[in-house]
Amino acid sequence: MDATQPAPGDQESLTLRLSEYALGYLHSAALRAAARIGIADHLTDGPRTPEELAALTGVSARHLQRALRLLATREVFREDKDGAFHLTPAAEFLRSDSPTSMRDGVIMLTDETFWRPAGRLEDTVRAGHTVFEEIFGAPFFDHLARAPRAGEAFDTGMAGLSASEDDLVAASCTFPAAGTVVDIGGGRGGLLRRVLLRNPGLSGVLYDQEAVLRHHHLDDPALAGRWEVRPGDFFASVPDGADVYLLKRILHDWSDEDALRILRACRAAMKEGSRLLAIDAVIVRDNAPDLGKTLDVLMMTSLNGRERGEHEFRRLLAEAGLRLTRVLPTPSAMSIVEATAV
C-alpha cells in the first residue's frame, strides 16, 4: 500500500482533523472575545453560569455560552453538567491580576495587525514579502507609531508575553558578578528587571524608543540606583562598553539585512570580553510541533521577519563580526544564542 494513502477506516478521522485545522481561526476568535470581555476575572471566586457572566459583562448569555463551550474543548475554561463555567489552569493565565497574565498578550496576538495579514498568507507566499503595507498603508512599526490604539495594544501585549518568560530566561543566562547589562529594544524593561533582581552586582540600561520608555517597569525599590533608561535607534548605534547586550525578540522582527544592521551596531559598541545574548526561538529542522514555527509564519506575514535555526544565527553573527559560542535552551519557547566579538 502507498504510505501516503490513509489506511482503511482512517479517512474519516483525517478529514475531520483537516476540517478542525481549517476552522482554527474560530478558536482564536473565541479566545480573543473571552480575554477582552474579561471572563476569567469574573470566575476567580468560583464558577458562574453564562447568565451570571452576561449580567456582569453586558453581553449576550446565549452567545457567550457558545463561545466558552468551544474554548472548553481546548481546556480553556470548563463547563460542568449544570452549565456553569469554571477556570482551568490555562484560563488562570487570562486573569488580569495574575503576575504572569497572558491576557494582554492574547489580545495583541489576535489583533487585526496580525490576523488581517495572516488571512492573506497566500499573497505573501506568492509575492515573497508581507502585504502588511498594502493593508494598513505603512510598514508594521510605522503603522504602530501612527495608530495609537494598535501601538498601545502591541506594547502592552509584548510586556504581557514577556512577563510569563522573563524570569525563566534570566535564570537560564550566566551573568558576571558585576558590570553593565544593556537591554536593546527592551520595551518596558521586564527582562532587565528580572536580570537585575537575580544579579545584585549588576547595573542596567534600558534602550528603546522614547515613547516606549515612558512606560517602563524599573521603578522597584530593590533596583534603586542601578538602572537608567536611554532612548535611541538600534539601527544606528547602541550604548558603548557594556559587559552584556540583550536582544530579546528583536532579531526575529527583521529581515537578514536589517538584523545585520542591528548586530553591527552592537559589535561596534562591544568592548573586549563583551557578550551578546540574542533571545529568540531557534528552529530545529524536524516535523515536531514548535511554537517557533508558528511565530515564524507570524513574522513572515506581518513584518518580513523570521525565526532562525542555529546555522542561520551562526552565519548572520559571523557577517557582523561576532562568533556564536553556544545556544542555551530555556524552559520557555525562547533559546539564548550567545556570541562574542571575533
Side-chain angles (χ1 to χ4, degrees), residues 27-48:
H27 293 272
S28 300
L31 187 62
R32 177 178 178 82
R36 283 183 54 82
I37 293 168
I39 296 301
D41 286 348
H42 293 291
L43 297 178
T44 55
D45 294 327
R48 295 184 189 271

Side-chain angles (χ1 to χ4, degrees), residues 132-145:
F132 188 96
E133 188 169 353
E134 183 179 328
I135 298 170
F136 292 103
F140 184 85
F141 287 110
D142 292 344
H143 171 68
L144 297 186

Side-chain angles (χ1 to χ4, degrees), residues 38-271:
I39 296 301
D41 286 348
H42 293 291
L43 297 178
T44 55
D45 294 327
R48 295 184 189 271
T49 65
E51 291 73 21
E52 291 171 325
L53 290 168
L56 290 167
T57 58
V59 303
S60 163
R62 183 167 58 178
H63 290 77
L64 177 63
Q65 185 271 337
R66 293 159 70 182
L68 295 181
R69 179 175 62 188
L70 177 62
L71 291 174
T73 68
R74 297 287 181 89
E75 299 182 351
V76 182
F77 305 109
R78 177 176 67 84
E79 186 177 19
D80 64 27
K81 60 183 177 59
D82 297 318
F85 284 92
H86 301 240
L87 286 175
T88 61
E92 288 281 353
F93 289 99
L94 294 178
R95 291 173 52 182
S96 60
D97 62 349
S98 168
T100 54
S101 175
M102 282 282 292
R103 180 176 182 264
D104 290 334
V106 164
I107 291 172
M108 177 197 72
L109 290 173
T110 56
D111 189 77
E112 67 172 6
T113 52
F114 289 118
W115 65 254
R116 286 183 64 188
R120 292 186 57 183
L121 176 58
E122 179 188 349
D123 294 335
T124 291
V125 170
R126 290 184 182 279
H129 57 76
T130 178
V131 295
F132 188 96
E133 188 169 353
E134 183 179 328
I135 298 170
F136 292 103
F140 184 85
F141 287 110
D142 292 344
H143 171 68
L144 297 186
R146 71 183 196 178
R149 184 206 61 79
E152 174 63 19
F154 179 79
D155 290 342
T156 302
M158 287 302 300
L161 285 180
S162 292
S164 66
E165 62 193 15
D166 282 338
D167 197 53
L168 299 176
V169 171
S172 301
C173 298
T174 302
F175 292 94
T180 303
V181 176
V182 177
D183 193 356
I184 302 166
R188 298 184 178 185
L191 176 59
L192 183 61
R193 180 174 178 273
R194 300 312 307 181
V195 168
L196 296 181
L197 286 172
R198 282 184 168 273
N199 299 274
L202 294 177
S203 59
V205 178
L206 181 61
Y207 185 72
D208 210 316
Q209 296 180 356
E210 190 165 3
V212 176
L213 294 176
R214 286 198 291 266
H215 304 285
H216 71 78
H217 294 164
L218 296 174
D219 282 323
D220 186 324
L223 304 181
R226 295 173 51 209
W227 59 269
E228 63 175 297
V229 297
R230 197 178 302 179
D233 176 4
F234 54 47
F235 286 116
S237 66
V238 302
D240 289 332
D243 298 277
V244 181
Y245 290 88
L246 303 176
L247 282 168
K248 181 170 179 281
R249 292 188 186 270
I250 300 298
L251 296 180
H252 79 158
D253 287 341
W254 304 99
S255 67
D256 284 354
E257 293 77 14
D258 286 333
L260 191 55
R261 292 169 59 199
I262 298 168
L263 290 171
R264 283 175 172 158
C266 294
R267 175 64 184 88
M270 293 169 71
K271 64 181 181 180

